[in-house]
Amino acid sequence: MIALAATLLFLGFCAVMGFPSLASAGGDNDSVMRLVQVRDLLAGQAWFDLTQYRMGSEGGLPMHWSRLVDLPIALLIASAEMLTGDARLAEEIASVVWPVGLFGMSLYLILKAARTLGGEWGVLPAAVIGALALYFLGIFKPAGLDHHNLQLTLALATLLFLMRVHSFGPGAALAGLCAAGMLAVGMETVPYVAVAGACVAVLFLLGGRAEARIARDFGAAFALVSAILFPATIPMASWFAAQCDAFSLPQASIAMLGGCGLALAASLPVLAATRARRAAALAVLAAALAALVLLAFPQCLADPYVALDGRLRSYWLDKISEAQSAYDLLLNNRAKMFGSYVTPLIALGVLAWGMVRRGPSYQAIIVAAFLSAAVLVSFWQVRGTYFSLPFAVIPLSSLVGTARRRAHETNSARRQLAMAAAWIVSLNMIWQFAAASVGVAASAEAKDGKEGKALQCYANSDYARVATLPRSTVLAVSNLGPALLRNTHHRVLAGSYHRNLDGNLATLDAFTGPLEASREIVRANDIGLVAFCRGNSETGFLAESAPEGLLARLAAGDAPDWLEIVPESKGEPLEVYRVLPGS
């Protein structure tokens, strides 16, 4: 009921604000692209065909996303359209129900985990701190269709079921199911899947018969669900293709070998009889997994962006906000750094202090393992905070809960101040606001503020003009690609996805290279329209990087003679140029 009340409050707040994220993506290109993928699925594109035919060079862009996320969204849209008879309204209903529903489920899982770790006194703090943390992430806002919110929900479910394996019979099997599910959805969750497996393996090594049953159930469920999801999401023609950035043969084979090996070791008395034998069995399993990776899939140990052209890494990847490191935030956005890293580090300190004072509990060790993995990932890429901030809520709720209990038992000023301090330090938004108030806000954000969010072409209405033009291929910066697909019938060359090497390189060369080379790229790719958004951050960066390039010329109002502006778009946030025939 607490989770439901908080979810309805969140929904009501969005409604009072007019659901602004439905009208403007605010730069969330992945959610926009997800809707495009779902539309294609509903329009008849094959389940196993993940190609985005309207993006990239000829033949389209093979996306690395999972249909497991597309399916429930598509079902929501289809059901809503049956009830309303309005396709656009059905999309809006699904765009609200899906992320807000996941918000409620994630908060419910946080509350259960907080109660398991810290008792009843931690439930109210978990509701407040957890709801604010989930809101702060931004992945649960209406129209948030990206896969990160589903991954977080599955990760929280895995964490909770592992915390309760001794008191909830099916917990181990459900943890294995959720771990396999989040692995199949996307590779961002590999660290948390690995942590879950490691925790169960250590529990099996140090425990007795009950822990052997836990390892057996987790391993069997993890292997079985992975074996089911592999043919359910991968076409037969690609069963033996190794794709390191998506669920495919490497991930499925490792999951099945690891899960089956753990279940077998835990099930056979000859292997599970003594601690020495359990250690030997786990060592053999670890060696087999290492051999499988090193001999069959060594390419998956490399940098996931190793194939990315150096220019794309410099001009595109390094500018993606969720791919920034902690060091990048320290240099450019210290306010966000404080809001993203302080509370997880405090939470780790709370867990460590509790273990020192009271001894390590099983539940605290599980939470510490998941939180530590998320913090380490977040130092590499800030997207790790999608997991570290919610995980941190669990020990922080215990901190505040303990302070509340003591203040209730001894109503003194010191206890009240301690309780207030516990509340304050546990809210990541407080840290960000405090950092911003003392003048360490990001210079990059200040630059964005000069142009204003309204001029960055995030709003769906910005594309109304170009949507009326005859269908063509549009040359635009990668930041605008998904929005052009969502709001128009055109195809685009660029999109902010690492597999779109040819399309992104061609766009980069067209906008920053010599004008004659730009014209050749336009001819070679049959470009009919050029979309120019003056206030977009990518536009400004590329124009500054190449003062003589096409983008800089358009920014200066000096279009080459083979382009003419669509008169109705002049002065609008998104200006559109036609490529003149014969150019």
Side-chain angles (χ1 to χ4, degrees):
M1 293 302 297
I2 294 172
L4 178 60
T7 303
L8 292 176
L9 184 63
F10 170 55
L11 179 61
F13 175 75
C14 294
V16 169
M17 298 296 291
F19 294 109
S21 54
L22 294 180
S24 175
D28 185 4
N29 282 332
D30 285 351
S31 291
V32 173
M33 194 66 170
R34 176 68 65 184
L35 180 58
V36 174
Q37 292 286 97
V38 171
R39 283 178 178 176
D40 292 342
L41 179 63
L42 289 171
Q45 187 164 330
W47 171 263
F48 291 113
D49 184 6
L50 292 172
T51 305
Q52 180 45 246
Y53 292 100
R54 293 199 294 139
M55 178 175 282
S57 55
E58 186 176 356
L61 168 65
M63 295 293 291
H64 62 290
W65 290 350
S66 173
R67 285 291 193 206
L68 294 177
V69 186
D70 295 342
L71 180 60
I73 300 171
L75 290 175
L76 283 172
I77 292 175
S79 301
E81 188 172 0
M82 288 177 60
L83 293 174
T84 64
D86 186 328
R88 180 177 177 180
L89 178 59
E91 284 188 354
E92 292 182 342
I93 291 173
S95 295
V96 172
V97 170
W98 176 248
V100 173
L102 290 176
F103 174 94
M105 180 55 67
S106 293
L107 185 58
Y108 172 76
L109 294 167
I110 288 174
L111 293 177
K112 297 286 284 186
R115 174 183 285 165
T116 303
L117 181 67
E120 292 295 331
W121 284 97
V123 175
L124 176 62
V128 177
I129 302 169
L132 289 174
L134 295 180
Y135 175 79
F136 174 83
L137 293 178
I139 59 177
F140 294 99
K141 67 182 184 299
L145 304 180
D146 188 16
H147 52 269
H148 292 308
N149 48 25
L150 177 59
Q151 287 177 317
L152 173 59
T153 305
L154 290 170
L156 287 168
T158 305
L159 171 61
L160 174 63
F161 289 133
L162 286 179
M163 292 176 70
R164 304 184 69 198
V165 288
H166 289 101
S167 59
F168 180 55
L174 290 173
L177 184 155
C178 292
M182 63 176 171
L183 179 66
V185 168
M187 295 303 100
E188 297 95 334
T189 55
V190 166
Y192 316 114
V193 175
V195 166
C199 288
V200 173
V202 172
L203 187 66
F204 166 60
L205 173 64
L206 302 179
R209 291 183 178 179
E211 287 72 25
R213 286 194 296 271
I214 290 169
R216 178 200 64 195
D217 293 350
F218 177 89
F222 184 56
L224 178 61
V225 175
S226 298
I228 293 171
L229 293 178
F230 180 72
T233 58
I234 309 298
M236 186 178 295
S238 300
W239 280 4
F240 298 100
Q243 298 179 359
C244 300
D245 61 349
F247 187 65
S248 62
L249 180 63
Q251 298 82 3
S253 58
I254 293 169
M256 287 185 278
L257 174 60
C260 288
L262 183 60
L264 185 65
S267 301
L268 296 179
V270 68
L271 297 178
T274 66
R275 184 169 297 177
R277 292 183 181 182
R278 293 194 293 269
L282 290 174
V284 170
L285 177 58
L289 289 170
L292 176 63
V293 175
L294 292 172
L295 297 178
F297 314 113
Q299 68 273 28
C300 292
L301 296 175
D303 181 350
Y305 302 111
V306 67
L308 199 63
D309 184 276
R311 290 173 297 164
L312 289 180
R313 185 182 292 270
S314 173
Y315 288 127
W316 168 66
L317 181 64
D318 291 346
K319 300 299 180 291
I320 296 177
S321 59
E322 66 178 28
Q324 302 291 297
S325 67
Y327 180 71
D328 294 326
L329 292 186
L330 178 63
L331 295 178
N332 303 313
N333 195 342
R334 295 179 193 170
K336 184 173 182 180
M337 184 196 71
F338 273 73
S340 299
Y341 293 98
V342 173
T343 52
L345 292 175
I346 292 175
L348 284 175
V350 169
L351 288 167
W353 179 245
M355 292 180 192
V356 169
R357 290 192 62 191
R358 296 181 295 274
S361 69
Y362 168 73
Q363 290 81 9
I365 291 173
I366 294 292
V367 176
F370 273 78
L371 179 56
S372 297
V375 168
L376 289 175
V377 171
S378 69
F379 278 110
W380 174 51
Q381 288 192 339
V382 73
R383 75 180 73 197
T385 59
Y386 293 153
F387 299 88
S388 64
L389 290 172
F391 292 162
V393 172
I394 300 168
L396 292 174
S397 301
S398 179
L399 171 69
V400 178
T402 300
R404 291 180 65 233
R405 177 177 55 80
R406 290 173 177 172
H408 177 76
E409 293 171 349
T410 307
N411 190 15
S412 66
R414 184 172 64 88
R415 294 291 192 189
Q416 295 294 334
L417 287 174
M419 181 180 67
W423 275 107
I424 292 171
V425 301
S426 298
L427 296 170
N428 56 300
M429 297 179 73
I430 295 290
W431 288 101
Q432 178 158 345
F433 292 153
S437 68
V438 295
V440 295
S443 59
E445 286 184 343
K447 289 180 181 178
D448 286 346
K450 288 193 302 182
E451 296 294 342
K453 295 290 184 183
L455 299 180
Q456 296 196 37
C457 302
Y458 291 154
N460 299 333
S461 58
D462 292 336
Y463 298 84
R465 186 74 61 192
V466 67
T468 64
L469 301 177
R471 183 173 182 175
S472 182
T473 299
V474 181
L475 178 67
V477 295
S478 64
N479 217 7
L480 305 183
L484 281 162
L485 297 189
R486 183 207 185 282
N487 296 296
T488 77
H489 54 289
H490 301 297
R491 78 180 309 276
V492 297
L493 195 58
S496 48
Y497 303 99
H498 66 272
R499 287 191 177 186
N500 190 28
L501 292 176
D502 293 339
N504 287 339
L505 274 175
T507 300
L508 182 62
D509 290 338
F511 277 140
T512 63
L515 285 182
E516 188 57 38
S518 300
R519 183 157 57 176
E520 289 302 319
I521 292 171
V522 165
R523 288 173 180 165
N525 291 277
D526 197 25
I527 303 293
L529 299 170
V530 177
F532 171 71
C533 181
R534 187 179 305 275
N536 190 271
S537 56
E538 185 179 354
T539 299
F541 174 75
L542 292 178
E544 291 177 6
S545 302
E548 302 300 322
L550 175 60
L551 210 55
R553 291 278 298 271
L554 294 178
D558 183 23
D561 57 8
W562 43 274
L563 290 179
E564 69 170 4
I565 192 169
V566 174
E568 296 82 2
S569 72
K570 191 171 184 179
E572 293 188 349
L574 186 70
E575 296 181 350
V576 185
Y577 292 81
R578 291 190 185 94
V579 178
L580 296 176
S583 296

